[in-house]
């Protein structure tokens, strides 16, 4: 029996309130019934079919540091994560609240900077953020929306409460895996999928294109939208091509675009075609060599000037990366209170800022119990996991923190929830997080579900694909009234 030896340990378990197979959370009842009816051979056949589908569809990601070859098939676990409708409602409302406050913050700091003047956030933290762009002060964007696509990372703590771990506002990735995961699950478990009444996600490309069209300059009725990619060697190139194809828009590189008289044009076989909206998957540093890095071969000279003139819209807007800074993350609850006069619906993780003398002493005195993160690293890099670190690693990190305290934050170890995961024919608990995707054109819309990432190594809390993590399909159930 697949769940016979399953242990919940001391973590919040998504499926079982306690060890043993008699008690199961209500929304997982159908999953348990179906999965207990499958043999190990059944699971092996389904996993093989899923792997073949991923190979055929080219569902890959890149690991730059891997000397065994960079291109990999994204590991996938066929045990679905299930979220009941009432639980999802809270997540959805919390994400909408959060992206609303973050957009207000970004507009504010590039205009009046009231939140700084009112001493809610120290000016130094904003101005020293790696992705703060003083060149963009006073630059208006359509509808004052800076973040059109957001992928915030959520975890559940020991009490089962959703907590925001970080926000991804520059070029959030992973939604292509959400869509591909869903397709293989519908084929692999068709009866279970139908029985569970799962909310669909296949409409995301349509919503994304609608979002881009709604932020076109001048309210163009038939705007030309393109997806700007760094090229085939980027780790998320599969996603770039996937989304462009699904939206029905051109995928371009910097060399395919040219700015003339303040307008952006795309080179085509029929001549130049004016571009209205660019869904960019290139960081600010590389997007316009006349404003940012002058050695960039990826960007488009004059693109920032075209934005200033209001002739093209970038999604996400330039300068959004300041809110990705992990120091700025610590102030998001205050942003919500300041701009919206509301209490946060989703908690953030307690965060210590090394730049503050009191916090610095606490961090250095408690490194074995903390997670230390560099303010602008991602993908699991630039991080110290205190409980599993060596004395030498802690010594090295302590020196880094002392040398550049602004660049480091620390957080207590949050014991992520765990979820049943198929490992070598057995069912074992593995830690998971969740990256839901929010689109913001004229109003925020949250895709029901998101990318559940799973730490495939037993005991690991690092779910990033670049660090050996995998993914699951996330099933948000319809409300009973939806039928």
């Amino acid at each position: 029996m697949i769940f016979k030896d399953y242990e919940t340990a001391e973590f919040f378990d998504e499926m079982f309130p306690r060890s043993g197979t008699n008690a199961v959370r209500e929304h997982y009842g159908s999953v348990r019934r179906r999965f207990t009816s499958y043999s190990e051979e059944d699971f092996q056949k389904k996993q093989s079919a899923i792997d073949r589908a991923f190979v055929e569809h080219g569902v890959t990601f890149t690991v730059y540091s891997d000397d065994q070859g960079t291109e990999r098939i994204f590991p996938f676990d066929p045990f679905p994560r299930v979220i009941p409708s009432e639980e999802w409602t809270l997540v959805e409302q919390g994400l909408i609240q959060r992206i609303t406050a973050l957009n207000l913050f970004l507009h504010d700091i590039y205009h009046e900077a009231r939140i700084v003047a009112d001493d809610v956030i120290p000016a130094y933290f904003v101005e020293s953020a790696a992705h703060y762009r003083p060149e963009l002060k006073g630059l208006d964007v359509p509808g004052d929306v800076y973040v059109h696509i957001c992928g915030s990372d959520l975890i559940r703590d020991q009490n089962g409460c959703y907590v925001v771990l970080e926000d991804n506002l520059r070029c959030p990735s992973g939604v292509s895996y959400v869509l591909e995961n869903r397709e293989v699950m519908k084929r692999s478990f068709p009866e279970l999928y139908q029985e569970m009444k799962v909310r669909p996600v296949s409409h995301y490309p349509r919503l994304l294109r609608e979002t881009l069209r709604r932020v076109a300059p001048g309210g163009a009725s038939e705007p030309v939208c393109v997806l700007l990619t760094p090229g085939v060697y980027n780790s998320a190139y599969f996603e770039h091509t996937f989304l462009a194809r699904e939206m029905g828009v051109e995928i371009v590189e910097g060399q395919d675009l040219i700015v003339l008289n303040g307008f952006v044009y795309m080179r085509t076989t029929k001549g130049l075609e004016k571009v209205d909206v660019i869904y960019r998957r290139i960081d600010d540093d590389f997007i316009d060599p006349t404003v940012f890095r002058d050695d960039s071969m990826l960007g488009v000279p004059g693109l920032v000037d075209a934005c200033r003139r209001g002739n093209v819209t970038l999604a996400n807007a330039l300068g959004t990366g300041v809110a990705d800074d992990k120091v700025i993350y610590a102030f998001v609850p205050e942003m919500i209170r300041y701009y919206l006069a509301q209490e946060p619906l989703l908690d953030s993780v307690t965060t210590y800022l090394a730049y503050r003398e009191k916090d610095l002493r606490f961090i250095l005195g408690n490194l074995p119990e903390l997670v230390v993160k560099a303010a602008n690293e991602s993908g699991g890099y630039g991080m110290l996991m205190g409980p599993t670190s060596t004395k030498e690693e802690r010594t090295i990190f302590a020196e880094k923190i002392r040398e550049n305290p602004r660049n480091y934050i620390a957080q207590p170890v949050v014991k992520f929830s765990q979820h049943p995961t198929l490992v070598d024919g057995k069912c074992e608990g593995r830690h998971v997080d969740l990256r839901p995707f929010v689109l913001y054109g004229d109003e925020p819309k949250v895709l029901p579900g998101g990318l559940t990432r799973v730490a495939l190594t037993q005991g690991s809390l690092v779910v990033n694909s670049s660090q050996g993590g995998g993914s699951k399909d996330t099933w948000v159930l319809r409300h009973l009234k939806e039928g």
Side-chain angles (χ1 to χ4, degrees):
M1 187 176 177
I2 187 173
F3 302 117
K4 180 182 178 183
D5 299 318
Y6 187 82
E7 294 290 337
T8 61
E10 73 272 25
F11 310 107
F12 181 87
D13 191 274
E14 297 287 340
M15 181 171 177
F16 295 103
R18 56 184 179 277
S19 295
T21 59
N22 292 327
V24 63
R25 301 190 194 280
E26 183 179 359
H27 50 284
Y28 275 95
S30 295
V31 175
R32 183 177 69 166
R33 285 193 297 273
R34 292 281 183 178
F35 272 44
T36 51
S37 70
Y38 298 133
S39 66
E40 184 176 338
E41 184 180 1
D42 291 332
F43 282 120
Q44 289 174 348
K45 288 180 179 178
K46 291 179 184 295
Q47 186 69 65
S48 296
I50 289 170
D51 291 344
R52 283 197 304 273
F54 280 171
V55 170
E56 291 168 1
H57 292 186
V59 183
T60 63
F61 70 100
T62 302
V63 180
Y64 296 120
S65 60
D66 183 12
D67 58 9
Q68 301 298 314
T70 59
E71 205 72 13
R72 290 185 184 176
I73 301 300
F74 197 50
F76 176 73
D77 178 68
F79 204 122
R81 179 184 194 167
V82 183
I83 302 177
S85 60
E86 63 274 10
E87 195 174 282
W88 181 251
T89 297
L90 172 63
V91 172
E92 186 175 48
Q93 292 174 345
L95 291 172
I96 289 173
Q97 181 192 57
R98 196 172 181 95
I99 196 173
T100 302
L102 284 165
N103 268 299
L104 291 169
F105 165 74
L106 288 164
H107 180 268
D108 186 19
I109 62 168
Y110 289 115
H111 291 80
E112 297 86 359
R114 292 181 296 111
I115 199 168
V116 171
D118 289 342
D119 292 326
V120 178
I121 300 179
Y124 173 74
F125 286 150
V126 173
E127 294 166 0
S128 62
H131 299 288
Y132 173 65
R133 306 298 183 197
E135 306 94 330
L136 305 178
K137 291 280 283 186
L139 174 62
D140 293 321
V141 298
D144 294 337
V145 178
Y146 284 75
V147 184
H148 309 93
I149 303 102
C150 178
S152 295
D153 292 339
L154 277 61
I155 58 173
R156 296 183 81 175
D157 62 19
Q158 281 183 284
N159 298 316
C161 297
Y162 284 96
V163 178
V164 180
L165 192 61
E166 64 179 48
D167 300 293
N168 299 282
L169 306 176
R170 279 174 294 161
C171 303
S173 64
V175 77
S176 60
Y177 303 120
V178 174
L179 304 181
E180 289 284 6
N181 290 353
R182 177 59 54 83
E183 288 305 306
V184 298
M185 286 295 285
K186 286 166 64 176
R187 291 196 296 270
S188 301
F189 302 93
E191 299 90 355
L192 177 61
Y193 180 80
Q194 290 296 326
E195 179 184 346
M196 296 285 286
K197 294 182 169 37
V198 182
R199 292 179 62 182
V201 295
S202 58
H203 59 298
Y204 179 85
R206 175 177 58 80
L207 287 179
L208 177 55
R209 181 163 185 175
E210 287 177 3
T211 298
L212 299 178
R213 290 166 63 90
R214 288 182 183 279
V215 298
S221 58
E222 293 295 331
V224 174
C225 306
V226 299
L227 189 152
L228 177 61
T229 177
V232 296
Y233 298 109
N234 184 264
S235 62
Y237 187 69
F238 159 75
E239 176 157 296
H240 303 168
T241 58
F242 176 91
L243 290 176
R245 182 178 67 248
E246 292 297 312
M247 284 193 290
V249 305
E250 294 293 331
I251 184 169
V252 298
E253 296 183 29
Q255 61 192 1
D256 300 319
L257 301 178
I258 185 171
V259 177
L260 298 173
N261 299 318
F263 290 91
V264 181
Y265 296 88
M266 170 174 52
R267 294 183 171 95
T268 75
T269 55
K270 298 179 180 179
L272 297 180
E273 182 176 9
K274 189 167 77 73
V275 174
D276 301 292
V277 183
I278 300 174
Y279 175 25
R280 51 102 174 204
R281 298 298 293 258
I282 295 178
D283 279 348
D284 292 358
D285 283 340
F286 302 97
I287 207 158
D288 185 342
T290 67
V291 177
F292 302 118
R293 287 184 52 160
D294 59 9
D295 61 343
S296 172
M297 303 294 289
L298 303 175
V300 184
L303 185 55
V304 172
D305 180 58
C307 290
R308 282 194 180 279
R309 297 189 189 198
N311 294 331
V312 70
T313 300
L314 291 185
N316 287 340
L318 297 170
T320 57
V322 62
D324 274 345
D325 188 297
K326 292 177 175 61
V327 171
I328 300 300
Y329 157 90
F331 291 94
V332 175
E334 292 306 315
M335 293 179 202
I336 293 171
R337 297 183 183 103
Y338 182 78
Y339 294 115
L340 304 179
Q342 299 171 359
E343 285 300 308
L345 296 173
L346 296 173
D347 287 335
S348 298
V349 180
T350 300
T351 302
Y352 302 97
L353 308 182
Y355 186 78
R356 291 173 171 164
E357 188 61 36
K358 180 180 178 181
D359 286 5
L360 176 62
R361 290 196 300 270
F362 178 81
I363 293 169
L364 294 176
N366 294 275
L367 282 177
E369 288 80 45
L370 298 172
V371 179
V372 181
K373 301 176 182 178
N376 290 282
E377 292 285 351
S378 60
Y381 298 103
M383 183 168 68
L384 175 78
M385 291 294 294
T388 58
S389 64
T390 65
K391 185 176 181 180
E392 181 181 5
E393 289 170 337
R394 293 193 294 273
T395 300
I396 292 172
F397 249 81
E399 187 57 32
K400 289 181 178 179
I401 294 168
R402 290 189 186 96
E403 288 179 358
N404 188 5
R406 165 60 180 84
N407 194 46
Y408 289 94
I409 61 103
Q411 297 169 331
V413 177
V414 180
K415 295 181 177 179
F416 293 21
S417 64
Q418 70 171 28
H419 194 287
T421 303
L422 298 177
V423 181
D424 299 327
K426 299 185 297 182
C427 185
E428 298 179 357
R430 292 291 186 271
H431 293 295
V432 294
D433 77 350
L434 176 65
R435 177 175 291 180
F437 291 89
V438 187
L439 296 176
Y440 197 164
D442 51 358
E443 62 180 4
K445 294 182 175 67
V446 184
L447 187 69
L451 184 65
T452 287
R453 298 184 299 177
V454 53
L456 296 174
T457 302
Q458 187 172 18
S460 174
L461 294 174
V462 182
V463 298
N464 309 82
S465 57
S466 57
Q467 307 292 321
S471 72
K472 292 173 172 287
D473 194 11
T474 309
W475 291 3
V476 174
L477 305 184
R478 289 190 179 95
H479 193 276
L480 293 177
K481 293 181 180 179
E482 297 179 63

